[in-house]
Amino acid sequence: MRILFQIRPILAALRSHKTAVMLLMLEIALTMAVLGNLVFVVYGTVQRSRVPTGVDESRIGVIQSIGVIGTANSGTIENDLAVLQAVPDVVAATYGGPPLWFTQRDSVFLDPSHGHKLGRVYEFQGSQGLSRTLGARIVHGVDLDDNEIPAVTRYTPTMEIPVLMTKALGQHLFPDGRALGGVIYDSGNNPLRVVGIVDHLRGSITGSPDDDWSIVTEFMYGHQDGGGGFMIRVRDAAQLPEALRAAAAALQKANPGHVSNKTFTMAELRADYFKSDLASGRMLVAILLILLVVTALGVSGLASFWVQQRRRQIGMRRALGATRRDILRYFQAENFLIVSGGVLLGAVFAYALNLFLMRRFELAHLPAHYLLAGAVVLWLLGQLAVLGPALRASAVPPVVATRSV
Amino acid sequence: MFGYYLDLALRSLKRNRMLTALMVLAIGLGIGASMTMLTVLHVMTADPVPGRSARLFYPQVDPQPMENYKKGEGPPDLWTWTDAMNLLHDGKGVRQAAMSGGQVTVVPPGGVTRAFNAHARYTTADFFAMFGLSFADGGGWDAGDDGKRARVAVITRQLADKLYGTPHAAGRTLRLGKYDFRVAGVVDDWHPVPHFYDLNMGDYADPEQVYVPLGTAIGLKLSTMGSMSCWGDFPQDGDMAKASGCMWMQYWVELDTPAQVAAYRQYLVHYSEDQKQLGRFERAPNTRLRDVMQWLDYNHVVPGSVQLQTLLALGFLLVCLVNTVALLLVKFLRRGGELSVRRAMGASRRSVFVQLLVEAALVGLAGGVIGLLLSLFGLWVVRQQPTQYAGLAHLDTTMSAATFALAVCATLLAAVFPAWRACRLVPARLLKTQ
């Protein structure tokens, strides 16, 4: 209640410093606009970096093995897969790559003449065992069957190929809900028949809904030699590094003419995929912290000035019976009023900046609770910044009133 | 007079060290943060081939079928083999080169077990002279080598050192996969930023290590890399020269005079018309001819995250300026008494104004020093980040000078309003209350 009684004199005092008060409010408003939008951008990045791809990420490892053309090589993919399967703890192995790693995109159509384009999808192609190794969850229909997938040697440009499709892509292509059993075409002429629906399989993670538009096809490989990505899935995530090392060594032994360029776990791949975005996020947070420091310095500087300027008035109030606490409260209430004004203006600025960013950078709409959180942060910051000068003010002795300036 | 103002300013600044320090720090932080981001932007939007960029052009034609045709849509960014070869054959530019990215397996003299993959560029003879690469040893190949699909290659100095331990590797044998090539020349380090001539490899990708004649590479079916867009069937045997319905190449041309540029624009339209008459093209002539900077702009090369950071850094500078205006305002107004005495003793408004600006400029100068140090630190931090462009973030002399200029100008600008307010005070009233 006491604070309420004080508001009128505070407003009267502020009126005589109109320009400085307005500048301070403007500064707080600008800070709030930048603060709200920046936190929103960074939080979006962090959230995106946690979106799962839908595969059994913690148990998957990749070996990039490249055949050197012209060197004698006895390896065959069939044998390579057998060698990988034989490594302790490996439950599945395949010739093919994981999500987030050189994923291919192709257009899909509902008719073989390619008249009506339905969108671009991620195509996961590999040997037998690709779907098992990825470990994506099948929610409808069945998994690809080694007995039904086409042999790569018998491939013709018009044969029907069974595919797995993500739920999201199924809903997009077949809004009537009959994706299972449906047929689509990619830019080739092969009809692709949907035999199973997987929960999620994201080819890349950009935040767009079509990240989750994927299909999986398998071909039966036998005596062909092939290089590229091999993938293994292990039973126990803790054993993955060990199993991956053993698998790479076994593959190298089976394929002396191959160069093993890289081995990595899916977790490492994910960390690598997002490191640039997260680094940008860290830089933005650093800018934000400096910005808050500068604003606090500004608030503190102005408050110090006013305290110095009003030493005599403070002394008079003290002489007339105001307690130290009253003086402290006065400066705190004054700060609260100024910051509140700034916050109100800042909410408008924040929305304006957000509208601009939405148009320029395809940012989403700024939710209102970000503004509320921004306001709370600025109120706390203001109180913290004013505490020093306010304490100094409350320490002014009443005797100052009797001295001339 | 200036010396006197300087003296007054120093005294005034010394009187309240705390506040002076606050102002200098606020300006320094604002300048430091915004200059860090502006430098990153400056580096990323820099001209990748200074002195040549206005003469190098990327032509575009539209060989796609009528299917999915949208009126007003620009032509595609890539070239088909047939069109690139036709243009190359016509040779209407001063120099021209068709190209594609690729990947080769380099087998070092040490043996197959040490083999590694390297990025390659499959291109034609003019590439080196047109883009201004300099040779440490040997030279490029000529149009004859392109025609007869000679097995020659140009490698970078870095690769030559790695393979042969010397940059003087011309004439040596380079084994790529199962084929032997003769090293025609070794190019000095060349790192155009951005990787303007083929943006499909990543805007800030490193340049290739191996250059091979385009015809040779396609004839040997070396693997190509980059973006590809097809409307027709892709040949089953993987022979890219037969992929008539696929666009996957880049084409650059050098044109030295405005007349040549105009003639080339005409040529592209005529070419498209001719191809339509031949039945190869279905669409009406839809051509473009952009120089390097226009090409980068058209492709939105600067990442959105950098633009966003720059924008926020500028917002940040604005906050710091408002902060400075507020602090200077209270500082100047508080000295009303002193200023009134000066005015009463005969100083004009103008000289009071100048005196206050000198004081502000001193603050700005100190802020500039701090800002420069902070942006050096900021850029060091940026270089530690695992971003694609991190290695490029360096402060050059232009940007250092710009930092100082920005600090002083910003502070002077911030001081104009407070100083104007301060010299409009009525001396008599203030003197009376004293």
Side-chain angles (χ1 to χ4, degrees):
Chain A
M1 252 356 241
R2 286 186 70 108
I3 290 177
L4 275 184
F5 285 124
Q6 283 188 352
I7 284 183
R8 276 168 71 88
I10 291 175
L11 287 178
L14 287 182
R15 219 166 285 145
S16 59
H17 301 282
K18 245 180 286 170
T19 331
V21 169
M22 259 150 62
L23 283 172
L24 196 55
M25 278 189 187
L26 185 65
E27 180 180 348
I28 287 163
L30 287 171
T31 305
M32 169 134 164
V34 175
L35 173 80
N37 283 288
L38 212 143
V39 169
F40 186 50
V41 168
V42 173
Y43 185 65
T45 309
V46 172
Q47 255 186 341
R48 201 160 53 80
S49 74
R50 295 203 177 127
V51 173
T53 53
V55 305
D56 194 358
E57 289 189 25
S58 62
R59 295 188 178 81
I60 292 177
V62 181
I63 304 164
Q64 193 185 9
S65 167
I66 289 146
V68 179
I69 305 165
T71 55
N73 195 15
S74 52
T76 64
I77 286 188
E78 192 177 33
N79 186 41
D80 292 342
L81 296 183
V83 162
L84 291 175
Q85 298 267 17
V87 173
D89 218 46
V90 170
V91 289
T94 191
Y95 172 51
L100 312 183
W101 192 63
F102 297 113
T103 41
Q104 285 184 48
R105 275 183 108 176
D106 197 2
S107 305
V108 291
F109 307 86
L110 269 189
D111 56 323
S113 63
H114 299 169
H116 182 54
K117 182 170 156 180
L118 291 167
R120 276 159 67 76
V121 306
Y122 292 95
E123 284 189 333
F124 289 86
Q125 270 178 16
S127 73
Q128 60 270 34
L130 175 63
S131 156
R132 274 198 304 282
T133 313
L134 287 172
R137 204 161 65 85
I138 306 223
V139 288
H140 289 297
V142 293
D143 200 351
L144 296 172
D145 185 337
D146 285 359
N147 297 318
E148 281 167 27
I149 58 174
V152 71
T153 44
R154 302 234 177 83
Y155 174 84
T156 63
T158 51
M159 72 195 294
E160 186 175 285
I161 298 171
V163 297
L164 299 180
M165 180 179 279
T166 52
K167 205 165 59 184
L169 180 62
Q171 280 161 2
H172 171 71
L173 295 182
F174 302 94
D176 57 356
R178 285 196 224 143
L180 197 63
V183 172
I184 56 165
Y185 297 82
D186 64 6
S187 59
N189 291 321
N190 300 86
L192 309 173
R193 181 168 299 282
V194 183
V195 298
I197 304 285
V198 295
D199 201 11
H200 292 290
L201 179 54
R202 295 186 173 86
S204 59
I205 302 177
T206 62
S208 149
D210 60 12
D211 289 349
D212 202 10
W213 292 1
S214 307
I215 57 174
V216 183
T217 53
E218 289 181 5
F219 289 91
M220 187 57 110
Y221 280 81
H223 296 301
Q224 301 78 25
D225 179 24
F230 287 88
M231 237 186 325
I232 58 166
R233 184 155 70 94
V234 297
R235 190 171 294 113
D236 178 4
Q239 297 299 318
L240 181 59
E242 183 52 43
L244 191 59
R245 244 192 314 278
L251 194 63
Q252 186 66 48
K253 211 171 146 201
N255 278 301
H258 274 213
V259 187
S260 199
N261 261 29
K262 260 190 260 175
T263 63
F264 51 90
T265 65
M266 192 68 206
E268 287 164 353
L269 177 64
R270 170 177 277 273
D272 194 53
Y273 185 82
F274 283 109
K275 69 179 179 185
S276 180
D277 283 352
L278 291 176
S280 302
R282 277 197 297 277
M283 283 195 268
L284 288 181
V285 169
I287 291 187
L288 181 68
L289 290 178
I290 301 175
L291 177 65
L292 290 179
V293 169
V294 169
T295 306
L297 289 183
V299 171
S300 188
L302 273 191
S304 308
F305 242 121
W306 284 330
V307 169
Q308 249 185 29
Q309 204 174 22
R310 300 182 201 158
R311 271 175 74 82
R312 210 161 155 227
Q313 286 92 325
I314 295 166
M316 279 181 195
R317 280 199 64 197
R318 288 297 312 280
L320 291 172
T323 61
R324 288 180 168 213
R325 178 176 285 262
D326 286 332
I327 303 295
L328 186 70
R329 287 275 176 275
Y330 174 89
F331 280 98
Q332 286 173 335
E334 183 188 69
N335 177 272
F336 183 80
L337 282 180
I338 295 175
V339 174
S340 299
V343 161
L344 283 181
L345 188 62
V348 179
F349 281 10
Y351 260 111
L353 181 60
N354 179 239
L355 281 182
F356 172 74
L357 293 179
M358 274 167 70
R359 287 201 4 216
R360 188 75 182 71
F361 299 103
E362 291 166 19
L363 207 68
H365 217 298
L366 184 68
H369 60 262
Y370 276 83
L371 294 182
L372 208 64
V376 171
V377 167
L378 286 173
W379 271 317
L380 290 178
L381 189 78
Q383 290 300 318
L384 204 67
V386 85
L387 193 62
L391 282 174
R392 244 174 291 138
S394 69
V396 171
V399 71
V400 169
T402 61
R403 293 186 195 145
S404 63
V405 181
Chain B
M1 214 56 198
F2 185 75
Y4 176 56
Y5 292 156
L6 211 60
D7 184 43
L8 279 180
L10 281 174
R11 277 166 197 272
S12 154
L13 291 174
K14 265 192 226 150
R15 201 172 311 143
N16 199 332
R17 280 162 208 246
M18 187 63 193
L19 193 86
T20 308
L22 274 184
M23 281 195 295
V24 169
L25 194 62
I27 292 171
L29 283 171
I31 298 286
S34 39
M35 284 315 283
T36 302
M37 290 326 299
L38 285 178
T39 304
V40 171
L41 191 74
H42 169 73
V43 175
M44 300 190 76
T45 50
D47 186 344
V49 268
R52 288 175 189 272
S53 56
R55 283 184 286 143
L56 298 175
F57 292 83
Y58 193 90
Q60 286 169 271
V61 297
D62 195 345
Q64 298 174 103
M66 282 314 282
E67 212 173 90
N68 294 322
Y69 175 70
K70 279 195 207 86
K71 207 171 156 55
E73 204 175 50
D77 294 351
L78 295 165
W79 282 80
T80 64
W81 171 267
T82 318
D83 291 317
M85 288 303 123
N86 287 345
L87 256 70
L88 208 56
H89 183 258
D90 289 350
K92 296 283 186 192
V94 177
R95 293 192 181 101
Q96 46 261 308
M99 63 193 79
S100 165
Q103 180 161 285
V104 290
T105 311
V106 179
V107 183
V112 165
T113 49
R114 301 246 169 84
F116 55 90
N117 281 340
H119 285 177
R121 180 129 304 255
Y122 310 142
T123 184
T124 51
D126 283 352
F127 181 92
F128 305 98
M130 184 167 76
F131 289 154
L133 279 78
S134 66
F135 281 87
D137 193 27
W141 59 82
D142 58 27
D145 292 326
D146 274 326
K148 61 177 192 261
R149 301 193 162 181
R151 293 200 183 167
V152 292
V154 167
I155 58 175
T156 59
R157 191 185 191 121
Q158 199 190 351
L159 185 63
D161 281 338
K162 185 171 168 181
L163 293 177
Y164 311 109
T166 166
H168 301 289
R172 300 258 200 152
T173 301
L174 172 72
R175 192 170 177 83
L176 301 178
K178 60 179 168 183
Y179 306 108
D180 282 333
F181 288 73
R182 183 178 58 81
V183 176
V186 178
V187 286
D188 277 322
D189 290 331
W190 183 63
H191 193 174
V193 178
H195 191 267
F196 70 98
Y197 53 92
D198 182 1
L199 296 168
N200 300 301
M201 313 301 291
D203 294 343
Y204 296 90
D206 287 331
E208 294 78 7
Q209 299 258 294
V210 181
Y211 301 87
V212 175
L214 183 65
T216 315
I218 300 311
L220 297 176
K221 292 183 188 168
L222 299 185
S223 70
T224 58
M225 257 179 103
S227 186
M228 174 158 26
S229 176
C230 293
W231 64 88
D233 290 338
F234 184 76
Q236 287 298 316
D237 62 359
D239 184 353
M240 301 292 283
K242 285 193 235 151
S244 54
C246 288
M247 300 176 292
W248 53 281
M249 299 174 68
Q250 296 82 42
Y251 195 91
W252 283 91
V253 56
E254 180 181 331
L255 303 166
D256 292 341
T257 64
Q260 286 172 353
V261 175
Y264 207 85
R265 281 186 207 282
Q266 283 293 316
Y267 163 65
L268 288 175
V269 174
H270 286 312
Y271 175 78
S272 299
E273 278 165 354
D274 288 349
Q275 292 298 315
K276 199 176 173 190
Q277 285 204 325
L278 284 173
R280 266 198 70 237
F281 284 14
E282 294 179 12
R283 302 182 179 187
N286 186 13
T287 65
R288 299 282 187 285
L289 188 64
R290 293 184 166 95
D291 70 16
V292 172
M293 295 319 273
Q294 288 165 341
W295 178 244
L296 294 179
D297 190 41
Y298 162 72
N299 279 289
H300 306 295
V301 161
V302 178
S305 63
V306 172
Q307 291 179 28
L308 187 68
Q309 283 167 30
T310 310
L311 199 74
L312 290 170
L314 286 176
F316 181 76
L317 182 65
L318 191 67
V319 172
C320 292
L321 275 184
V322 172
N323 190 13
T324 312
V325 174
L327 290 177
L328 284 175
L329 185 72
V330 286
K331 189 170 170 59
F332 290 169
L333 288 184
R334 201 171 135 61
R335 286 176 36 219
E338 176 205 320
L339 295 176
S340 302
V341 173
R342 282 207 65 214
R343 293 269 284 118
M345 303 286 279
S348 68
R349 267 190 192 167
R350 195 187 136 89
S351 55
V352 170
F353 187 73
V354 173
Q355 178 206 333
L356 292 176
L357 284 191
V358 167
E359 191 175 326
L362 274 185
V363 173
L365 215 56
V369 173
I370 300 216
L372 193 65
L373 294 176
L374 282 174
S375 43
L376 284 176
F377 173 73
L379 288 170
W380 177 80
V381 173
V382 171
R383 282 198 295 278
Q384 309 309 307
Q385 302 298 321
T387 47
Q388 231 186 3
Y389 51 85
L392 314 172
H394 285 278
L395 204 64
D396 54 17
T397 33
T398 330
M399 290 311 271
S400 308
T403 305
F404 262 107
L406 184 67
V408 175
C409 290
T411 319
L412 281 179
L413 200 71
V416 167
F417 174 67
W420 176 74
R421 281 287 302 264
C423 59
R424 270 189 51 215
L425 293 172
V426 184
R429 209 154 73 195
L430 274 159
L431 288 173
K432 211 154 68 184
T433 57
Q434 288 239 325

